Amino acid sequence: MTQSRPRWFTEHGDGHADSYIERFRRLAAEGSDLAGEARFMDTLLPRKARVLDAGSGTGRISGELHARGHVVVGVDVDPALVDAAGQDHPGPRYVVADLATLDLDEEPFDAALLAGNVLIFVAPDSEPDVLARVAAHVRPDGVVVTGFGTDRGYPIDAFDRHCAAAGLVLEHRFATWDLRPWRADASFAVTVLRRPPAAG
Ligand SMILES: C[S@@+](CC[C@H](N)C(=O)[O-])C[C@H]1O[C@@H](n2cnc3c(N)ncnc32)[C@H](O)[C@@H]1O
């Protein structure tokens, strides 16, 4: 188990959370489309699904999934972001926790989402733990969806090995959230993984 801190904290200066929160407030005020990942998720989900937004940030995706009738728990390691999510996107429940050691006392989720480069911002070498802990919170036959830049230090082949080790089966991969086809030289990967159904 890794002991180091998420890159989210070590690669940015003080006040990063504030500027990040402000950036998303400004984009929302300008009417930018901040819901693409939530629309993608919604197509995969049964109605009133239970969704884990892993690395929920400002809550933009949690809030949109909640508005679509899903029951959402957002988890993030940064307390400032969890505060902002509760203010800006009320409805989901937001929890401060590290995904690498996640242990929620919760009924299993129908789906989990790690969007917006969460896997780039976790602690170095903690990706296998993060994927395993997120997968452990999803019910058999439930989905895990990830989106991250493939040229930012976490190679896609390492990711695929870590997913397999976490018991997740690759179902689909795209180059964008609006389903541009995957290519080996794509700089972003959206991946849909599934836990195998329960035996018997
Ligand atoms: C670029 S933000 C994306 C936020 C959100 N998913 C979105 O797309 O709007 C990356 C997020 O990952 C969170 N994060 C990084 N490492 C984490 C960890 N070990 N556990 C929980 N959250 C983590 C950061 O705090 C930050 O909110």
Side-chain angles (χ1 to χ4, degrees):
M1 187 81 51
T2 178
Q3 298 297 317
S4 53
R5 299 189 76 210
R7 289 190 171 101
W8 181 254
F9 294 121
T10 57
E11 291 188 5
H12 300 297
D14 284 347
H16 177 67
D18 291 345
S19 58
Y20 184 77
I21 292 163
E22 276 318 308
R23 175 151 67 96
F24 275 89
R25 285 181 178 156
R26 191 175 61 249
L27 289 169
E30 291 168 358
S32 300
D33 178 13
L34 300 177
E37 297 94 331
R39 288 195 298 272
F40 180 103
M41 282 307 284
D42 192 44
T43 63
L44 295 169
L45 296 172
R47 296 308 83 190
K48 299 185 181 176
R50 287 176 42 74
V51 186
L52 172 63
D53 185 5
S56 45
T58 59
R60 67 187 178 97
I61 302 172
S62 291
E64 182 65 28
L65 289 170
H66 173 82
R68 287 166 186 257
H70 302 297
V71 177
V72 185
V73 177
V75 171
D76 203 283
V77 75
D78 187 331
L81 293 181
V82 166
D83 265 6
Q87 287 172 39
D88 295 357
H89 300 285
R93 193 152 52 81
Y94 297 102
V95 177
V96 179
D98 189 332
L99 296 171
T101 53
L102 191 67
D103 188 12
L104 297 176
D105 187 13
E106 287 275 339
E107 179 186 327
F109 292 91
D110 296 303
L113 170 70
L114 297 115
N117 282 319
V118 170
L119 283 165
I120 302 301
F121 287 111
V122 300
D125 302 324
S126 70
E127 301 90 349
D129 293 332
V130 168
L131 288 164
R133 292 314 307 154
V134 169
H137 286 74
V138 173
R139 66 167 167 79
D141 209 33
V143 287
V144 176
V145 177
T146 66
F148 62 92
T150 53
D151 51 2
R152 300 187 61 176
Y154 187 32
I156 200 79
D157 54 343
F159 169 70
D160 285 342
R161 283 198 307 278
H162 299 159
C163 288
L168 295 170
V169 178
L170 193 153
E171 261 185 10
H172 305 287
R173 176 162 290 149
F174 306 99
T176 64
W177 289 102
D178 61 353
L179 313 190
R180 298 290 174 110
W182 169 250
R183 303 161 21 147
D185 64 350
S187 59
F188 197 83
V190 175
T191 306
V192 179
L193 304 134
R194 194 175 294 275
R195 281 200 60 192

